[in-house]
C-alpha cells in the first residue's frame, strides 16, 4: 500500500490531497498519533500558528492598485512597507499558509505558467495602507492591495 502511494504521488497519478487522504488509511493501521495530527492539519488546515511547519512559510511581494485624481491607474505597483514593518515588528514580506492542502491545490491550479497567486488584503488593511500613502501623496489613492505569491512556492 505504501509503495503504491509513493508511486502514484511520484508519477502525478493523484493529487497531494488525495495522497494525504490515502495516508490517513495507512495511519489508521499504523496508529501513529504524530502522523495522525500532521495529516489532519495538512488536510484541514492549521488552527494553531505555533504548529505550522517551516515549509509553509515563504516570501512574498506586496502590491497595490492605485488611481490618481485624473483617473489614471497603476496595477500591481510594489508597496514599500519596510519602515512600517520595522515600527510594528512585522515582516510584511513573509506569509505563512495555514489553510488545508486542497485550497492550496485549487489556487495553484488556477495559475498557469509564470502567473502569480494573489492573496488580497482585507478592506481594513487596505484602508490603513491607503491612509499611509495618502499622507505621502494626496493625489494618488490606493484602492486595493495584496500579497503576490509565485505558484512554485
Amino acid at each position: 500500500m505504501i509503495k503504491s502511494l509513493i508511486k502514484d504521488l511520484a508519477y502525478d497519478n493523484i493529487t497531494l490531497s488525495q495522497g494525504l487522504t490515502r495516508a490517513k488509511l495507512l495511519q489508521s493501521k499504523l496508529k501513529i498519533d504524530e502522523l495522525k495530527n500532521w495529516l489532519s492539519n495538512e488536510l484541514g488546515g492549521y488552527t494553531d500558528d505555533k504548529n505550522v511547519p517551516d515549509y509553509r512559510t515563504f516570501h512574498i511581494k506586496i502590491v497595490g492598485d492605485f488611481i490618481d485624481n485624473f483617473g489614471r491607474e497603476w496595477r500591481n505597483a510594489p508597496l514599500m512597507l519596510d519602515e512600517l514593518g520595522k515600527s510594528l515588528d512585522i515582516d510584511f514580506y513573509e506569509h505563512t499558509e495555514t489553510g488545508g492542502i486542497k485550497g492550496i491545490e485549487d489556487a495553484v491550479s488556477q495559475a498557469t505558467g509564470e502567473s502569480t497567486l494573489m492573496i488580497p488584503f482585507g478592506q481594513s488593511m487596505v484602508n490603513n495602507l491607503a491612509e499611509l500613502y495618502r499622507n505621502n501623496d494626496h493625489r494618488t489613492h490606493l484602492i486595493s492591495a495584496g500579497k503576490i505569491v509565485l505558484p512554485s512556492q
Side-chain angles (χ1 to χ4, degrees), residues 4 21 29-30 40 56 76 84 98 115 119 121 132 134:
S4 172
T21 301
K29 294 179 183 191
L30 299 172
S40 177
R56 280 177 162 256
N76 292 325
L84 178 63
T98 58
S115 67
I119 302 169
F121 285 149
L132 278 171
R134 196 172 7 259

Side-chain angles (χ1 to χ4, degrees), residues 65-74 130-143:
D65 297 335
F66 290 87
I67 191 167
D68 71 6
N69 292 340
F70 300 104
R72 294 179 292 198
E73 295 183 14
W74 293 268
E131 187 63 31
L132 278 171
Y133 276 89
R134 196 172 7 259
N135 290 338
N136 290 329
D137 183 357
H138 65 279
R139 296 167 296 175
T140 60
H141 309 280
L142 180 69
I143 54 176

Side-chain angles (χ1 to χ4, degrees), residues 55-61 93-95 97 104 108 115 117 148-153:
Y55 60 81
R56 280 177 162 256
T57 298
F58 41 88
H59 293 283
I60 47 91
K61 291 188 331 185
Y93 305 105
E94 186 174 276
H95 175 75
E97 182 53 53
I104 297 169
V108 170
S115 67
L117 304 174
I148 295 284
V149 181
L150 294 175
S152 61
Q153 293 194 9

Side-chain angles (χ1 to χ4, degrees), residues 9-73:
L9 285 168
Y11 289 106
D12 289 331
N13 294 333
I14 59 174
T15 64
L16 186 53
S17 58
Q18 291 169 333
L20 291 173
T21 301
R22 276 200 212 170
K24 281 180 75 171
L25 295 172
L26 287 169
Q27 187 286 324
S28 69
K29 294 179 183 191
L30 299 172
K31 303 211 183 299
I32 302 171
D33 287 339
E34 190 175 332
L35 178 60
K36 179 181 180 180
N37 293 337
W38 179 78
L39 288 167
S40 177
N41 286 330
E42 287 295 319
L43 287 165
Y46 289 82
T47 56
D48 182 4
D49 287 347
K50 295 175 187 169
N51 293 329
V52 179
D54 290 342
Y55 60 81
R56 280 177 162 256
T57 298
F58 41 88
H59 293 283
I60 47 91
K61 291 188 331 185
I62 307 227
V63 297
D65 297 335
F66 290 87
I67 191 167
D68 71 6
N69 292 340
F70 300 104
R72 294 179 292 198
E73 295 183 14

Side-chain angles (χ1 to χ4, degrees), residues 121-131:
F121 285 149
Q123 193 58 51
S124 63
M125 179 67 160
V126 172
N127 291 344
N128 290 333
L129 291 173
E131 187 63 31

Side-chain angles (χ1 to χ4, degrees), residues 79-95:
L79 300 184
M80 306 311 282
L81 302 176
D82 300 34
E83 293 303 317
L84 178 63
K86 285 179 189 173
S87 68
L88 298 174
D89 197 27
I90 296 172
D91 185 352
F92 284 106
Y93 305 105
E94 186 174 276
H95 175 75

